[in-house]
PDB file of all heavy atoms in Angstrom:
ATOM      1  N   LEU A 244     -19.060   5.755  -6.754  1.00  0.00           N
ATOM      2  CA  LEU A 244     -17.642   5.438  -6.577  1.00  0.00           C
ATOM      3  C   LEU A 244     -17.392   3.939  -6.773  1.00  0.00           C
ATOM      4  O   LEU A 244     -16.418   3.544  -7.430  1.00  0.00           O
ATOM      5  CB  LEU A 244     -17.180   5.878  -5.188  1.00  0.00           C
ATOM      6  CG  LEU A 244     -15.740   5.526  -4.791  1.00  0.00           C
ATOM      7  CD1 LEU A 244     -14.739   6.071  -5.812  1.00  0.00           C
ATOM      8  CD2 LEU A 244     -15.418   6.064  -3.398  1.00  0.00           C
ATOM      9  N   SER A 245     -18.261   3.103  -6.220  1.00  0.00           N
ATOM     10  CA  SER A 245     -18.116   1.652  -6.385  1.00  0.00           C
ATOM     11  C   SER A 245     -18.158   1.269  -7.858  1.00  0.00           C
ATOM     12  O   SER A 245     -17.373   0.429  -8.322  1.00  0.00           O
ATOM     13  CB  SER A 245     -19.232   0.918  -5.624  1.00  0.00           C
ATOM     14  OG  SER A 245     -19.146   1.172  -4.244  1.00  0.00           O
ATOM     15  N   LYS A 246     -19.058   1.884  -8.606  1.00  0.00           N
ATOM     16  CA  LYS A 246     -19.154   1.603 -10.044  1.00  0.00           C
ATOM     17  C   LYS A 246     -17.887   2.030 -10.770  1.00  0.00           C
ATOM     18  O   LYS A 246     -17.383   1.312 -11.649  1.00  0.00           O
ATOM     19  CB  LYS A 246     -20.359   2.326 -10.646  1.00  0.00           C
ATOM     20  CG  LYS A 246     -20.556   2.047 -12.146  1.00  0.00           C
ATOM     21  CD  LYS A 246     -21.744   2.786 -12.703  1.00  0.00           C
ATOM     22  CE  LYS A 246     -21.931   2.452 -14.174  1.00  0.00           C
ATOM     23  NZ  LYS A 246     -20.755   2.748 -15.004  1.00  0.00           N
ATOM     24  N   ALA A 247     -17.327   3.184 -10.383  1.00  0.00           N
ATOM     25  CA  ALA A 247     -16.092   3.659 -11.014  1.00  0.00           C
ATOM     26  C   ALA A 247     -14.938   2.706 -10.738  1.00  0.00           C
ATOM     27  O   ALA A 247     -14.107   2.442 -11.615  1.00  0.00           O
ATOM     28  CB  ALA A 247     -15.762   5.066 -10.517  1.00  0.00           C
ATOM     29  N   LEU A 248     -14.880   2.164  -9.527  1.00  0.00           N
ATOM     30  CA  LEU A 248     -13.831   1.198  -9.178  1.00  0.00           C
ATOM     31  C   LEU A 248     -13.949  -0.072 -10.019  1.00  0.00           C
ATOM     32  O   LEU A 248     -12.955  -0.600 -10.515  1.00  0.00           O
ATOM     33  CB  LEU A 248     -13.916   0.853  -7.687  1.00  0.00           C
ATOM     34  CG  LEU A 248     -13.520   1.966  -6.717  1.00  0.00           C
ATOM     35  CD1 LEU A 248     -13.937   1.620  -5.288  1.00  0.00           C
ATOM     36  CD2 LEU A 248     -12.024   2.242  -6.769  1.00  0.00           C
ATOM     37  N   LEU A 249     -15.177  -0.539 -10.206  1.00  0.00           N
ATOM     38  CA  LEU A 249     -15.401  -1.725 -11.032  1.00  0.00           C
ATOM     39  C   LEU A 249     -15.093  -1.442 -12.500  1.00  0.00           C
ATOM     40  O   LEU A 249     -14.540  -2.297 -13.201  1.00  0.00           O
ATOM     41  CB  LEU A 249     -16.849  -2.201 -10.881  1.00  0.00           C
ATOM     42  CG  LEU A 249     -17.235  -2.752  -9.498  1.00  0.00           C
ATOM     43  CD1 LEU A 249     -18.732  -3.025  -9.436  1.00  0.00           C
ATOM     44  CD2 LEU A 249     -16.459  -4.022  -9.181  1.00  0.00           C
ATOM     45  N   ASP A 250     -15.442  -0.253 -12.954  1.00  0.00           N
ATOM     46  CA  ASP A 250     -15.154   0.126 -14.341  1.00  0.00           C
ATOM     47  C   ASP A 250     -13.659   0.149 -14.609  1.00  0.00           C
ATOM     48  O   ASP A 250     -13.198  -0.276 -15.676  1.00  0.00           O
ATOM     49  CB  ASP A 250     -15.758   1.501 -14.656  1.00  0.00           C
ATOM     50  CG  ASP A 250     -17.269   1.472 -14.787  1.00  0.00           C
ATOM     51  OD1 ASP A 250     -17.828   0.358 -14.910  1.00  0.00           O
ATOM     52  OD2 ASP A 250     -17.900   2.549 -14.754  1.00  0.00           O
ATOM     53  N   HIS A 251     -12.890   0.660 -13.635  1.00  0.00           N
ATOM     54  CA  HIS A 251     -11.440   0.713 -13.820  1.00  0.00           C
ATOM     55  C   HIS A 251     -10.835  -0.688 -13.821  1.00  0.00           C
ATOM     56  O   HIS A 251      -9.912  -0.974 -14.596  1.00  0.00           O
ATOM     57  CB  HIS A 251     -10.781   1.557 -12.723  1.00  0.00           C
ATOM     58  CG  HIS A 251      -9.330   1.799 -12.971  1.00  0.00           C
ATOM     59  ND1 HIS A 251      -8.331   1.178 -12.237  1.00  0.00           N
ATOM     60  CD2 HIS A 251      -8.690   2.563 -13.906  1.00  0.00           C
ATOM     61  CE1 HIS A 251      -7.162   1.567 -12.695  1.00  0.00           C
ATOM     62  NE2 HIS A 251      -7.342   2.395 -13.703  1.00  0.00           N
ATOM     63  N   ARG A 252     -11.357  -1.553 -12.993  1.00  0.00           N
ATOM     64  CA  ARG A 252     -10.923  -2.951 -12.995  1.00  0.00           C
ATOM     65  C   ARG A 252     -11.163  -3.588 -14.364  1.00  0.00           C
ATOM     66  O   ARG A 252     -10.316  -4.297 -14.909  1.00  0.00           O
ATOM     67  CB  ARG A 252     -11.682  -3.705 -11.906  1.00  0.00           C
ATOM     68  CG  ARG A 252     -11.538  -5.221 -11.920  1.00  0.00           C
ATOM     69  CD  ARG A 252     -10.175  -5.659 -11.471  1.00  0.00           C
ATOM     70  NE  ARG A 252     -10.166  -7.060 -11.086  1.00  0.00           N
ATOM     71  CZ  ARG A 252      -9.093  -7.738 -10.763  1.00  0.00           C
ATOM     72  NH1 ARG A 252      -7.919  -7.150 -10.767  1.00  0.00           N
ATOM     73  NH2 ARG A 252      -9.165  -9.012 -10.418  1.00  0.00           N
ATOM     74  N   GLN A 253     -12.336  -3.319 -14.923  1.00  0.00           N
ATOM     75  CA  GLN A 253     -12.677  -3.858 -16.249  1.00  0.00           C
ATOM     76  C   GLN A 253     -11.759  -3.285 -17.323  1.00  0.00           C
ATOM     77  O   GLN A 253     -11.301  -4.011 -18.216  1.00  0.00           O
ATOM     78  CB  GLN A 253     -14.142  -3.505 -16.567  1.00  0.00           C
ATOM     79  CG  GLN A 253     -14.695  -4.146 -17.826  1.00  0.00           C
ATOM     80  CD  GLN A 253     -14.950  -5.627 -17.678  1.00  0.00           C
ATOM     81  OE1 GLN A 253     -14.862  -6.161 -16.580  1.00  0.00           O
ATOM     82  NE2 GLN A 253     -15.239  -6.302 -18.786  1.00  0.00           N
ATOM     83  N   TYR A 254     -11.459  -2.002 -17.217  1.00  0.00           N
ATOM     84  CA  TYR A 254     -10.558  -1.347 -18.171  1.00  0.00           C
ATOM     85  C   TYR A 254      -9.171  -1.990 -18.138  1.00  0.00           C
ATOM     86  O   TYR A 254      -8.581  -2.291 -19.189  1.00  0.00           O
ATOM     87  CB  TYR A 254     -10.462   0.147 -17.853  1.00  0.00           C
ATOM     88  CG  TYR A 254      -9.267   0.835 -18.462  1.00  0.00           C
ATOM     89  CD1 TYR A 254      -9.210   1.116 -19.832  1.00  0.00           C
ATOM     90  CD2 TYR A 254      -8.168   1.186 -17.669  1.00  0.00           C
ATOM     91  CE1 TYR A 254      -8.100   1.724 -20.385  1.00  0.00           C
ATOM     92  CE2 TYR A 254      -7.062   1.792 -18.215  1.00  0.00           C
ATOM     93  CZ  TYR A 254      -7.032   2.068 -19.573  1.00  0.00           C
ATOM     94  OH  TYR A 254      -5.924   2.664 -20.133  1.00  0.00           O
ATOM     95  N   LEU A 255      -8.634  -2.229 -16.942  1.00  0.00           N
ATOM     96  CA  LEU A 255      -7.311  -2.827 -16.809  1.00  0.00           C
ATOM     97  C   LEU A 255      -7.260  -4.232 -17.395  1.00  0.00           C
ATOM     98  O   LEU A 255      -6.251  -4.641 -17.968  1.00  0.00           O
ATOM     99  CB  LEU A 255      -6.890  -2.859 -15.340  1.00  0.00           C
ATOM    100  CG  LEU A 255      -6.571  -1.515 -14.675  1.00  0.00           C
ATOM    101  CD1 LEU A 255      -6.236  -1.737 -13.212  1.00  0.00           C
ATOM    102  CD2 LEU A 255      -5.429  -0.792 -15.379  1.00  0.00           C
ATOM    103  N   SER A 256      -8.357  -4.976 -17.252  1.00  0.00           N
ATOM    104  CA  SER A 256      -8.369  -6.360 -17.731  1.00  0.00           C
ATOM    105  C   SER A 256      -8.320  -6.456 -19.255  1.00  0.00           C
ATOM    106  O   SER A 256      -7.949  -7.495 -19.800  1.00  0.00           O
ATOM    107  CB  SER A 256      -9.625  -7.080 -17.211  1.00  0.00           C
ATOM    108  OG  SER A 256     -10.793  -6.559 -17.818  1.00  0.00           O
ATOM    109  N   LYS A 257      -8.671  -5.359 -19.932  1.00  0.00           N
ATOM    110  CA  LYS A 257      -8.741  -5.392 -21.398  1.00  0.00           C
ATOM    111  C   LYS A 257      -7.732  -4.483 -22.088  1.00  0.00           C
ATOM    112  O   LYS A 257      -7.688  -4.426 -23.318  1.00  0.00           O
ATOM    113  CB  LYS A 257     -10.149  -4.986 -21.849  1.00  0.00           C
ATOM    114  CG  LYS A 257     -11.236  -5.943 -21.395  1.00  0.00           C
ATOM    115  CD  LYS A 257     -12.598  -5.500 -21.878  1.00  0.00           C
ATOM    116  CE  LYS A 257     -13.681  -6.493 -21.485  1.00  0.00           C
ATOM    117  NZ  LYS A 257     -15.020  -6.063 -21.940  1.00  0.00           N
ATOM    118  N   SER A 258      -6.913  -3.768 -21.327  1.00  0.00           N
ATOM    119  CA  SER A 258      -6.043  -2.753 -21.923  1.00  0.00           C
ATOM    120  C   SER A 258      -4.568  -3.119 -21.811  1.00  0.00           C
ATOM    121  O   SER A 258      -4.170  -3.931 -20.975  1.00  0.00           O
ATOM    122  CB  SER A 258      -6.278  -1.394 -21.256  1.00  0.00           C
ATOM    123  OG  SER A 258      -5.830  -1.437 -19.902  1.00  0.00           O
ATOM    124  N   ASP A 259      -3.755  -2.485 -22.647  1.00  0.00           N
ATOM    125  CA  ASP A 259      -2.305  -2.657 -22.562  1.00  0.00           C
ATOM    126  C   ASP A 259      -1.762  -2.091 -21.263  1.00  0.00           C
ATOM    127  O   ASP A 259      -0.763  -2.585 -20.733  1.00  0.00           O
ATOM    128  CB  ASP A 259      -1.624  -1.969 -23.756  1.00  0.00           C
ATOM    129  CG  ASP A 259      -1.866  -2.708 -25.062  1.00  0.00           C
ATOM    130  OD1 ASP A 259      -2.177  -3.916 -25.006  1.00  0.00           O
ATOM    131  OD2 ASP A 259      -1.756  -2.083 -26.137  1.00  0.00           O
ATOM    132  N   GLU A 260      -2.415  -1.025 -20.769  1.00  0.00           N
ATOM    133  CA  GLU A 260      -1.953  -0.421 -19.510  1.00  0.00           C
ATOM    134  C   GLU A 260      -2.044  -1.417 -18.365  1.00  0.00           C
ATOM    135  O   GLU A 260      -1.159  -1.475 -17.506  1.00  0.00           O
ATOM    136  CB  GLU A 260      -2.779   0.816 -19.175  1.00  0.00           C
ATOM    137  CG  GLU A 260      -2.294   1.529 -17.914  1.00  0.00           C
ATOM    138  CD  GLU A 260      -3.119   2.743 -17.544  1.00  0.00           C
ATOM    139  OE1 GLU A 260      -3.952   3.177 -18.363  1.00  0.00           O
ATOM    140  OE2 GLU A 260      -2.927   3.254 -16.427  1.00  0.00           O
ATOM    141  N   GLY A 261      -3.102  -2.216 -18.351  1.00  0.00           N
ATOM    142  CA  GLY A 261      -3.243  -3.221 -17.308  1.00  0.00           C
ATOM    143  C   GLY A 261      -2.113  -4.227 -17.353  1.00  0.00           C
ATOM    144  O   GLY A 261      -1.577  -4.620 -16.316  1.00  0.00           O
ATOM    145  N   LYS A 262      -1.737  -4.628 -18.565  1.00  0.00           N
ATOM    146  CA  LYS A 262      -0.635  -5.580 -18.728  1.00  0.00           C
ATOM    147  C   LYS A 262       0.678  -4.955 -18.281  1.00  0.00           C
ATOM    148  O   LYS A 262       1.495  -5.594 -17.607  1.00  0.00           O
ATOM    149  CB  LYS A 262      -0.542  -6.011 -20.191  1.00  0.00           C
ATOM    150  CG  LYS A 262       0.454  -7.134 -20.447  1.00  0.00           C
ATOM    151  CD  LYS A 262       0.517  -7.483 -21.940  1.00  0.00           C
ATOM    152  CE  LYS A 262      -0.785  -8.065 -22.424  1.00  0.00           C
ATOM    153  NZ  LYS A 262      -0.675  -8.524 -23.838  1.00  0.00           N
ATOM    154  N   LYS A 263       0.891  -3.676 -18.638  1.00  0.00           N
ATOM    155  CA  LYS A 263       2.119  -2.984 -18.245  1.00  0.00           C
ATOM    156  C   LYS A 263       2.219  -2.863 -16.736  1.00  0.00           C
ATOM    157  O   LYS A 263       3.292  -3.030 -16.157  1.00  0.00           O
ATOM    158  CB  LYS A 263       2.153  -1.593 -18.881  1.00  0.00           C
ATOM    159  CG  LYS A 263       2.424  -1.592 -20.380  1.00  0.00           C
ATOM    160  CD  LYS A 263       2.391  -0.184 -20.936  1.00  0.00           C
ATOM    161  CE  LYS A 263       2.614  -0.172 -22.445  1.00  0.00           C
ATOM    162  NZ  LYS A 263       2.490   1.185 -23.004  1.00  0.00           N
ATOM    163  N   ARG A 264       1.100  -2.550 -16.085  1.00  0.00           N
ATOM    164  CA  ARG A 264       1.100  -2.435 -14.625  1.00  0.00           C
ATOM    165  C   ARG A 264       1.439  -3.774 -13.972  1.00  0.00           C
ATOM    166  O   ARG A 264       2.182  -3.829 -12.981  1.00  0.00           O
ATOM    167  CB  ARG A 264      -0.274  -1.963 -14.131  1.00  0.00           C
ATOM    168  CG  ARG A 264      -0.544  -0.496 -14.360  1.00  0.00           C
ATOM    169  CD  ARG A 264      -1.723  -0.060 -13.522  1.00  0.00           C
ATOM    170  NE  ARG A 264      -2.077   1.314 -13.808  1.00  0.00           N
ATOM    171  CZ  ARG A 264      -2.923   2.032 -13.058  1.00  0.00           C
ATOM    172  NH1 ARG A 264      -3.474   1.488 -12.000  1.00  0.00           N
ATOM    173  NH2 ARG A 264      -3.206   3.270 -13.375  1.00  0.00           N
ATOM    174  N   PHE A 265       0.890  -4.835 -14.525  1.00  0.00           N
ATOM    175  CA  PHE A 265       1.155  -6.164 -13.970  1.00  0.00           C
ATOM    176  C   PHE A 265       2.629  -6.523 -14.103  1.00  0.00           C
ATOM    177  O   PHE A 265       3.257  -6.977 -13.149  1.00  0.00           O
ATOM    178  CB  PHE A 265       0.289  -7.193 -14.691  1.00  0.00           C
ATOM    179  CG  PHE A 265       0.516  -8.600 -14.217  1.00  0.00           C
ATOM    180  CD1 PHE A 265       0.096  -9.011 -12.957  1.00  0.00           C
ATOM    181  CD2 PHE A 265       1.162  -9.517 -15.033  1.00  0.00           C
ATOM    182  CE1 PHE A 265       0.315 -10.307 -12.509  1.00  0.00           C
ATOM    183  CE2 PHE A 265       1.378 -10.814 -14.603  1.00  0.00           C
ATOM    184  CZ  PHE A 265       0.958 -11.212 -13.341  1.00  0.00           C
ATOM    185  N   TYR A 266       3.203  -6.279 -15.275  1.00  0.00           N
ATOM    186  CA  TYR A 266       4.630  -6.549 -15.492  1.00  0.00           C
ATOM    187  C   TYR A 266       5.495  -5.704 -14.559  1.00  0.00           C
ATOM    188  O   TYR A 266       6.482  -6.179 -14.004  1.00  0.00           O
ATOM    189  CB  TYR A 266       5.013  -6.283 -16.943  1.00  0.00           C
ATOM    190  CG  TYR A 266       4.519  -7.314 -17.926  1.00  0.00           C
ATOM    191  CD1 TYR A 266       4.693  -7.140 -19.296  1.00  0.00           C
ATOM    192  CD2 TYR A 266       3.869  -8.469 -17.503  1.00  0.00           C
ATOM    193  CE1 TYR A 266       4.232  -8.088 -20.213  1.00  0.00           C
ATOM    194  CE2 TYR A 266       3.409  -9.412 -18.399  1.00  0.00           C
ATOM    195  CZ  TYR A 266       3.589  -9.220 -19.748  1.00  0.00           C
ATOM    196  OH  TYR A 266       3.132 -10.150 -20.641  1.00  0.00           O
ATOM    197  N   SER A 267       5.111  -4.435 -14.421  1.00  0.00           N
ATOM    198  CA  SER A 267       5.864  -3.525 -13.556  1.00  0.00           C
ATOM    199  C   SER A 267       5.834  -3.996 -12.108  1.00  0.00           C
ATOM    200  O   SER A 267       6.841  -3.915 -11.390  1.00  0.00           O
ATOM    201  CB  SER A 267       5.277  -2.112 -13.669  1.00  0.00           C
ATOM    202  OG  SER A 267       5.930  -1.227 -12.801  1.00  0.00           O
ATOM    203  N   ARG A 268       4.684  -4.512 -11.666  1.00  0.00           N
ATOM    204  CA  ARG A 268       4.563  -4.977 -10.292  1.00  0.00           C
ATOM    205  C   ARG A 268       5.439  -6.211 -10.052  1.00  0.00           C
ATOM    206  O   ARG A 268       6.084  -6.330  -9.006  1.00  0.00           O
ATOM    207  CB  ARG A 268       3.111  -5.308  -9.963  1.00  0.00           C
ATOM    208  CG  ARG A 268       2.893  -5.689  -8.509  1.00  0.00           C
ATOM    209  CD  ARG A 268       1.487  -6.133  -8.247  1.00  0.00           C
ATOM    210  NE  ARG A 268       0.531  -5.088  -8.567  1.00  0.00           N
ATOM    211  CZ  ARG A 268      -0.769  -5.297  -8.662  1.00  0.00           C
ATOM    212  NH1 ARG A 268      -1.264  -6.508  -8.478  1.00  0.00           N
ATOM    213  NH2 ARG A 268      -1.586  -4.303  -8.951  1.00  0.00           N
ATOM    214  N   ILE A 269       5.467  -7.122 -11.024  1.00  0.00           N
ATOM    215  CA  ILE A 269       6.293  -8.318 -10.895  1.00  0.00           C
ATOM    216  C   ILE A 269       7.771  -7.929 -10.808  1.00  0.00           C
ATOM    217  O   ILE A 269       8.534  -8.442  -9.980  1.00  0.00           O
ATOM    218  CB  ILE A 269       6.073  -9.266 -12.089  1.00  0.00           C
ATOM    219  CG1 ILE A 269       4.631  -9.777 -12.100  1.00  0.00           C
ATOM    220  CG2 ILE A 269       7.059 -10.423 -12.045  1.00  0.00           C
ATOM    221  CD1 ILE A 269       4.235 -10.575 -10.894  1.00  0.00           C
ATOM    222  N   LYS A 270       8.176  -6.991 -11.661  1.00  0.00           N
ATOM    223  CA  LYS A 270       9.559  -6.513 -11.651  1.00  0.00           C
ATOM    224  C   LYS A 270       9.899  -5.866 -10.311  1.00  0.00           C
ATOM    225  O   LYS A 270      10.954  -6.125  -9.724  1.00  0.00           O
ATOM    226  CB  LYS A 270       9.750  -5.503 -12.788  1.00  0.00           C
ATOM    227  CG  LYS A 270      11.151  -4.925 -12.879  1.00  0.00           C
ATOM    228  CD  LYS A 270      11.223  -3.901 -14.008  1.00  0.00           C
ATOM    229  CE  LYS A 270      12.583  -3.216 -14.041  1.00  0.00           C
ATOM    230  NZ  LYS A 270      12.647  -2.159 -15.075  1.00  0.00           N
ATOM    231  N   MET A 271       8.981  -5.032  -9.820  1.00  0.00           N
ATOM    232  CA  MET A 271       9.175  -4.349  -8.546  1.00  0.00           C
ATOM    233  C   MET A 271       9.309  -5.351  -7.403  1.00  0.00           C
ATOM    234  O   MET A 271      10.125  -5.176  -6.499  1.00  0.00           O
ATOM    235  CB  MET A 271       7.994  -3.403  -8.278  1.00  0.00           C
ATOM    236  CG  MET A 271       8.022  -2.671  -6.942  1.00  0.00           C
ATOM    237  SD  MET A 271       7.347  -3.604  -5.528  1.00  0.00           S
ATOM    238  CE  MET A 271       5.647  -3.822  -6.033  1.00  0.00           C
ATOM    239  N   GLU A 272       8.512  -6.421  -7.479  1.00  0.00           N
ATOM    240  CA  GLU A 272       8.523  -7.403  -6.407  1.00  0.00           C
ATOM    241  C   GLU A 272       9.898  -8.051  -6.266  1.00  0.00           C
ATOM    242  O   GLU A 272      10.433  -8.182  -5.159  1.00  0.00           O
ATOM    243  CB  GLU A 272       7.466  -8.477  -6.702  1.00  0.00           C
ATOM    244  CG  GLU A 272       7.244  -9.435  -5.562  1.00  0.00           C
ATOM    245  CD  GLU A 272       6.041 -10.329  -5.799  1.00  0.00           C
ATOM    246  OE1 GLU A 272       5.382 -10.169  -6.837  1.00  0.00           O
ATOM    247  OE2 GLU A 272       5.781 -11.176  -4.935  1.00  0.00           O
ATOM    248  N   VAL A 273      10.490  -8.447  -7.399  1.00  0.00           N
ATOM    249  CA  VAL A 273      11.819  -9.067  -7.357  1.00  0.00           C
ATOM    250  C   VAL A 273      12.856  -8.051  -6.872  1.00  0.00           C
ATOM    251  O   VAL A 273      13.719  -8.369  -6.047  1.00  0.00           O
ATOM    252  CB  VAL A 273      12.213  -9.619  -8.740  1.00  0.00           C
ATOM    253  CG1 VAL A 273      13.633 -10.188  -8.706  1.00  0.00           C
ATOM    254  CG2 VAL A 273      11.235 -10.697  -9.181  1.00  0.00           C
ATOM    255  N   GLU A 274      12.764  -6.810  -7.358  1.00  0.00           N
ATOM    256  CA  GLU A 274      13.711  -5.766  -6.957  1.00  0.00           C
ATOM    257  C   GLU A 274      13.652  -5.511  -5.453  1.00  0.00           C
ATOM    258  O   GLU A 274      14.687  -5.354  -4.799  1.00  0.00           O
ATOM    259  CB  GLU A 274      13.416  -4.471  -7.722  1.00  0.00           C
ATOM    260  CG  GLU A 274      13.812  -4.515  -9.191  1.00  0.00           C
ATOM    261  CD  GLU A 274      13.413  -3.256  -9.934  1.00  0.00           C
ATOM    262  OE1 GLU A 274      12.704  -2.407  -9.342  1.00  0.00           O
ATOM    263  OE2 GLU A 274      13.787  -3.118 -11.115  1.00  0.00           O
ATOM    264  N   GLU A 275      12.438  -5.459  -4.905  1.00  0.00           N
ATOM    265  CA  GLU A 275      12.285  -5.195  -3.474  1.00  0.00           C
ATOM    266  C   GLU A 275      12.855  -6.327  -2.633  1.00  0.00           C
ATOM    267  O   GLU A 275      13.470  -6.096  -1.587  1.00  0.00           O
ATOM    268  CB  GLU A 275      10.803  -4.978  -3.140  1.00  0.00           C
ATOM    269  CG  GLU A 275      10.222  -3.679  -3.664  1.00  0.00           C
ATOM    270  CD  GLU A 275      10.889  -2.460  -3.079  1.00  0.00           C
ATOM    271  OE1 GLU A 275      11.208  -2.474  -1.872  1.00  0.00           O
ATOM    272  OE2 GLU A 275      11.120  -1.492  -3.816  1.00  0.00           O
ATOM    273  N   ILE A 276      12.652  -7.558  -3.085  1.00  0.00           N
ATOM    274  CA  ILE A 276      13.219  -8.702  -2.356  1.00  0.00           C
ATOM    275  C   ILE A 276      14.740  -8.643  -2.382  1.00  0.00           C
ATOM    276  O   ILE A 276      15.408  -8.859  -1.365  1.00  0.00           O
ATOM    277  CB  ILE A 276      12.708 -10.029  -2.959  1.00  0.00           C
ATOM    278  CG1 ILE A 276      11.201 -10.169  -2.718  1.00  0.00           C
ATOM    279  CG2 ILE A 276      13.454 -11.220  -2.346  1.00  0.00           C
ATOM    280  CD1 ILE A 276      10.552 -11.296  -3.485  1.00  0.00           C
ATOM    281  N   LEU A 277      15.302  -8.329  -3.551  1.00  0.00           N
ATOM    282  CA  LEU A 277      16.757  -8.220  -3.674  1.00  0.00           C
ATOM    283  C   LEU A 277      17.309  -7.125  -2.758  1.00  0.00           C
ATOM    284  O   LEU A 277      18.302  -7.328  -2.044  1.00  0.00           O
ATOM    285  CB  LEU A 277      17.143  -7.923  -5.125  1.00  0.00           C
ATOM    286  CG  LEU A 277      17.064  -9.096  -6.109  1.00  0.00           C
ATOM    287  CD1 LEU A 277      17.243  -8.597  -7.543  1.00  0.00           C
ATOM    288  CD2 LEU A 277      18.122 -10.142  -5.779  1.00  0.00           C
ATOM    289  N   LYS A 278      16.657  -5.961  -2.771  1.00  0.00           N
ATOM    290  CA  LYS A 278      17.107  -4.846  -1.925  1.00  0.00           C
ATOM    291  C   LYS A 278      17.089  -5.234  -0.450  1.00  0.00           C
ATOM    292  O   LYS A 278      18.005  -4.930   0.302  1.00  0.00           O
ATOM    293  CB  LYS A 278      16.199  -3.629  -2.150  1.00  0.00           C
ATOM    294  CG  LYS A 278      16.402  -2.930  -3.478  1.00  0.00           C
ATOM    295  CD  LYS A 278      15.404  -1.790  -3.629  1.00  0.00           C
ATOM    296  CE  LYS A 278      15.497  -1.134  -4.994  1.00  0.00           C
ATOM    297  NZ  LYS A 278      14.467  -0.081  -5.177  1.00  0.00           N
TER     298      LYS A 278
END
Side-chain angles (χ1 to χ4, degrees):
L244 176 56
S245 297
K246 182 180 182 303
L248 290 167
L249 293 173
D250 287 345
H251 188 253
R252 170 72 162 174
Q253 187 72 9
Y254 162 74
L255 290 177
S256 69
K257 296 181 177 179
S258 67
D259 289 338
E260 183 181 349
K262 187 182 294 186
K263 287 178 182 176
R264 285 195 185 192
F265 178 70
Y266 287 174
S267 177
R268 185 185 300 167
I269 296 298
K270 180 182 175 184
M271 177 276 297
E272 189 170 359
V273 177
E274 287 176 353
E275 289 298 321
I276 293 169
L277 284 170
K278 287 177 185 176

